[in-house]
Amino acid sequence: KNQVEQSPQSLIILEGKNCTLQCNYTVSPFSNLRWYKQDTGRGPVSLTIMTFSENTKSNGRYTATLDADTKQSSLHITASQLSDSASYICVVTSENSGYALNFGKGTSLLVTP
Amino acid sequence: KAGVTQTPRYLIKTRGQQVTLSCSPISGHRSVSWYQQTPGQGLQFLFEYFSETQRNKGNFPGRFSGRQFSNSRSEMNVSTLELGDSALYLCASSSLTGETGELFFGEGSRLTVL
């Protein structure tokens, strides 16, 4: 069964600090990997989408990395802000027929003053 | 460009009732997919429609159904509501299929079943 595991489940950091969220997957064959940010009570918003050939992608202070060999991805947040407090969801897409999006359960990030 | 619009945003129902949720995708998007989100399970795929045809369906009972109209607007219906159906229901639209295109999510419909 294709799985997407995210760690840590929750994280608290001080404003201005950096942090890294992890996503490990067993999805195969791999098509793309996405990171979403979801504020409480809102819909998820796309941060990055990476295909097999991409190993780094940035969106402002967010940088995602992908190692397709080890099936690991990370999302690095630089100089965190209070507005970064949210849930971050990793989604891995398979090339299999049928519905192919596999969702992680997310990492809940709290940035404190 | 208007985003994905979901209505209603909040609703309260009692067990045994049915509910219909609506989703208007971004103009030009032909794919609409639906998700259930609960604290314990995270996001779970319900179904996806593309040009009025259901492409895929998740592992949910037949009480959950949907449809898409010719203008790409979509509705989902849940019949015989159960307490466990309380959740945030999200829809997302895409210019391509859900697997290949970027997903744009609405703000969700928060359903509470009493």
Side-chain angles (χ1 to χ4, degrees):
Chain A
K1 181 181 177 183
N2 289 330
Q3 285 193 320
V4 178
E5 301 289 340
Q6 292 187 243
S7 63
Q9 188 173 5
S10 61
L11 182 62
I12 302 174
I13 62 173
L14 289 174
E15 185 180 13
K17 298 296 186 182
N18 303 336
C19 68
T20 300
L21 313 181
Q22 298 290 342
C23 174
N24 296 338
Y25 61 93
T26 60
V27 175
S28 182
F30 172 87
S31 178
N32 62 63
L33 185 145
R34 316 171 186 205
W35 284 95
Y36 287 88
K37 176 188 178 188
Q38 185 176 22
D39 293 321
T40 301
R42 310 290 295 274
V45 174
S46 178
L47 294 175
T48 63
I49 301 177
M50 289 186 292
T51 60
F52 184 90
S53 59
E54 298 173 297
N55 54 25
T56 301
K57 204 157 199 178
S58 293
N59 179 355
R61 294 179 297 101
Y62 301 99
T63 299
T65 64
L66 172 63
D67 186 334
D69 292 331
T70 62
K71 298 188 176 181
Q72 296 179 325
S73 176
S74 64
L75 180 68
H76 186 75
I77 304 175
T78 303
S80 61
Q81 300 176 359
L82 298 179
S83 59
D84 292 330
S85 296
S87 179
Y88 293 84
I89 302 169
C90 174
V91 185
V92 183
T93 304
S94 170
E95 290 182 336
N96 280 333
S97 61
Y99 192 73
L101 268 66
N102 301 273
F103 293 88
K105 292 192 176 181
T107 292
S108 179
L109 174 65
L110 176 63
V111 181
T112 62
Chain B
K1 195 173 187 180
V4 178
T5 304
Q6 291 190 245
T7 57
R9 288 292 312 279
Y10 303 92
L11 65 166
I12 300 174
K13 294 285 187 178
T14 57
R15 280 181 299 175
Q17 287 187 310
Q18 73 166 14
V19 65
T20 299
L21 309 178
S22 179
C23 174
S24 293
I26 292 173
S27 179
H29 285 192
R30 296 159 65 188
S31 167
V32 174
S33 50
W34 288 89
Y35 307 84
Q36 182 194 68
Q37 187 175 37
T38 58
Q41 295 298 321
L43 273 163
Q44 295 185 89
F45 169 70
L46 282 158
F47 27 67
E48 180 192 7
Y49 288 87
F50 188 89
S51 295
E52 302 180 67
T53 300
Q54 187 179 86
R55 288 189 67 240
N56 290 297
K57 190 176 191 303
N59 189 26
F60 278 81
R63 299 184 297 107
F64 292 81
S65 63
R67 59 178 175 170
Q68 187 179 33
F69 302 97
S70 58
N71 61 359
S72 292
R73 190 178 71 85
S74 177
E75 290 182 346
M76 68 162 282
N77 183 274
V78 187
S79 62
T80 320
L81 285 166
E82 301 177 358
L83 295 179
D85 297 333
S86 294
L88 179 67
Y89 290 88
L90 291 159
C91 83
S93 76
S94 178
S95 58
L96 302 172
T97 63
E99 303 98 287
T100 53
E102 183 172 356
L103 293 175
F104 294 85
F105 285 86
E107 299 287 53
S109 293
R110 171 76 62 184
L111 171 65
T112 301
V113 182
L114 302 177

